[in-house]
Amino acid sequence: MYVEANKKNGLVQKPNVVVSVRDNKGRDNALVVAYACNCSYDPPMIMVGIVPSRFSYHMIKENGSFVVHLLDKSQTELYRVCGSLSGTDSDKLKEHHIKIKDALKVNAGIIEGCPVAIECKVVDSIKTGSHEMFVGEVMYVHAIKGSLNDKGMVDINKLNLL
Ligand SMILES: Cc1cc2nc3c(=O)[nH]c(=O)nc-3n(C[C@H](O)[C@H](O)[C@H](O)COP(=O)(O)O)c2cc1C
């Protein structure tokens, strides 16, 4: 027996990712993104949806780079800070002592302590409505030691993801 649910439910998927971006002056920022998914296996591509009113929006536009982070269950405070504070009001990363290091292949920061960080270069974007979907080619994947299977793929069963 079914009832009609709201169309806005989407896929009801909950990847719990934090996306970091950097502007042309080198300022880092990060936000929680629910609109995140794989969109090509070969070449590997990931898509993230960012609302134009987010502070991060102009940064990804300027730089064409982003890093998608999967979080450990212990990183609830990082998730709260990135998903509720805006870079318009303050530098949330600095104020909350969130450590960033340079990505290897793209011009963005990697948030230290995340079990997986996926560096992406924007190759396309499409305005779908409320969000602009940025298609990023995966340039490098950082995974915490012990999290890979024998094919070098991240095995989420070996992680304790948020
Ligand atoms: C669970 C959750 C999911 C979110 N998903 C998105 C999203 O897909 N796209 C988006 O632009 N903002 C999303 N947000 C909102 C941003 O993360 C939030 O507004 C953030 O403070 C924006 O930061 P910024 O203004 O510094 O860019 C989400 C927030 C939460 C808590």
Side-chain angles (χ1 to χ4, degrees), residues 22 63-67 101-110 118-122 137-142:
R22 179 178 282 170
N63 228 336
S65 299
F66 63 92
V67 180
K101 62 179 185 189
D102 286 343
L104 292 180
K105 304 284 183 191
V106 304
N107 191 6
I110 292 182
I118 306 165
E119 300 188 14
C120 298
K121 182 183 82 174
V122 175
E137 182 170 352
V138 176
M139 306 306 288
Y140 195 94
V141 182
H142 304 259

Side-chain angles (χ1 to χ4, degrees), residues 29 32 34-35 49-51 54-56 79 82-83 85-87 92:
N29 196 46
V32 168
Y35 285 48
I50 300 188
V51 179
R54 309 289 183 239
F55 186 74
S56 302
Y79 191 73
C82 293
L85 305 179
S86 177
K92 56 184 140 178

Side-chain angles (χ1 to χ4, degrees), residues 53-79:
S53 59
R54 309 289 183 239
F55 186 74
S56 302
Y57 180 80
H58 82 277
M59 303 173 99
I60 193 169
K61 281 282 201 187
E62 269 175 33
N63 228 336
S65 299
F66 63 92
V67 180
V68 178
H69 301 80
L70 306 189
L71 271 57
D72 183 79
K73 273 214 172 88
S74 62
Q75 293 178 299
T76 50
E77 180 61 6
L78 171 66
Y79 191 73

Side-chain angles (χ1 to χ4, degrees), residues 6-62:
N6 194 315
K7 281 187 280 194
K8 293 193 164 102
N9 276 318
L11 293 177
V12 204
Q13 217 178 357
K14 220 168 144 272
N16 287 332
V17 303
V18 167
V19 173
S20 63
V21 287
R22 179 178 282 170
D23 73 10
N24 276 344
K25 293 183 188 135
R27 178 174 165 186
D28 289 301
N29 196 46
L31 79 167
V32 168
V33 170
Y35 285 48
C37 61
N38 300 321
C39 61
S40 168
Y41 182 71
D42 187 16
M45 304 228 196
I46 288 180
M47 196 156 69
V48 294
I50 300 188
V51 179
S53 59
R54 309 289 183 239
F55 186 74
S56 302
Y57 180 80
H58 82 277
M59 303 173 99
I60 193 169
K61 281 282 201 187
E62 269 175 33

Side-chain angles (χ1 to χ4, degrees), residues 125-162:
S125 80
I126 175 173
K127 287 183 181 155
T128 50
S130 54
H131 289 60
E132 181 162 346
M133 303 303 300
F134 294 91
V135 177
E137 182 170 352
V138 176
M139 306 306 288
Y140 195 94
V141 182
H142 304 259
I144 199 164
K145 255 192 192 160
S147 64
L148 302 184
N149 66 18
D150 53 8
K151 294 192 175 97
M153 306 287 271
V154 173
D155 179 352
I156 56 162
N157 296 315
K158 294 183 174 171
L159 297 171
N160 195 22
L161 294 182
L162 185 67

